[in-house]
Amino acid sequence: MFLFNENLPPIRILGVDPGLRVTGYGVVDHRQGRLSLVEAGVIRTRSSQSIAERLRIIHEGLSDLIKETEPGVLALEKLYSDYRHPTTAILMGHARGVICLTAGETGIPLANLPSTRVKKAILSHGHAGKDQIGRAIQGMLDIKHPIRPADVTDALAVAVSYALTRKKEL
């Protein structure tokens, strides 16, 4: 069993990978230096839906998840996009904004993590590939099969990296 930060108080962490079409989420408990998977999945929208409808679905899905799982913190990867794809950044910003609003509405502290910090916390270097991260998360959470889709892996990676790097205070 993977142990770390044994002296910290227990916490349930909701990691979110924002997306307008697929928003991945992963809920993990960090108790007595151990990580355990609580729940993971996706909130899906359809491209045929209006932007307002898609954002409402993300908001409602995340709100319901928060009510069901009662996390102590919502960990979210900071927005990064390539300058050659500004539309992608804007659309991602819409989804990310709704996620931040949902955290604020429910009173859950929000932790913004840069992608390099997420990768470095899990594999000790900031430029790991998705497959490497996926295998590491699988091992850390004792999951027997590959995690699909990648949005779930990314969300779990954010949650796990928060657990690995958190301090006593939120």
Side-chain angles (χ1 to χ4, degrees):
M1 177 60 69
F2 188 73
L3 292 172
F4 56 94
N5 295 341
E6 294 179 59
N7 298 322
L8 294 176
I11 190 167
R12 179 165 284 177
I13 305 158
L14 168 59
V16 180
D17 178 43
L20 197 53
R21 191 176 61 77
V22 179
T23 293
Y25 65 85
V27 182
V28 297
D29 281 340
H30 177 209
R31 298 191 190 310
Q32 298 176 335
R34 298 180 192 282
L35 284 176
S36 60
L37 176 64
V38 175
E39 182 177 340
V42 295
I43 301 167
R44 292 186 188 274
T45 66
R46 293 186 308 276
S47 57
S48 61
Q49 295 169 310
S50 70
I51 186 82
E53 179 68 7
R54 294 169 89 178
L55 295 174
R56 183 191 62 74
I57 290 167
I58 293 167
H59 175 68
E60 287 179 358
L62 198 55
S63 294
D64 290 346
L65 179 67
I66 289 168
K67 285 177 194 161
E68 290 170 18
T69 62
E70 299 179 343
V73 65
L74 191 154
L76 184 63
E77 195 169 88
K78 283 187 178 178
L79 183 61
Y80 169 80
S81 71
D82 192 300
Y83 70 91
R84 294 171 290 192
H85 305 285
T87 303
T88 302
I90 291 167
L91 293 174
M92 182 75 71
H94 291 328
R96 198 172 186 290
V98 165
I99 293 162
C100 293
L101 170 66
T102 305
E105 239 181 19
T106 56
I108 296 173
L110 181 66
N112 289 292
L113 309 175
S115 63
T116 52
R117 176 177 164 190
V118 170
K119 293 173 182 177
K120 197 172 210 171
I122 293 167
L123 289 174
S124 300
H125 59 92
H127 302 289
K130 285 193 179 277
D131 288 342
Q132 289 176 296
I133 295 290
R135 285 190 301 275
I137 293 298
Q138 215 178 312
M140 288 176 177
L141 295 175
D142 198 29
I143 299 171
K144 303 295 182 216
H145 52 83
I147 306 164
R148 301 279 187 263
D151 309 272
V152 174
T153 305
D154 292 347
L156 287 169
V158 172
V160 168
S161 70
Y162 179 84
L164 289 170
T165 60
R166 77 182 179 114
K167 309 272 187 283
K168 286 191 184 224
E169 68 286 337
L170 279 176

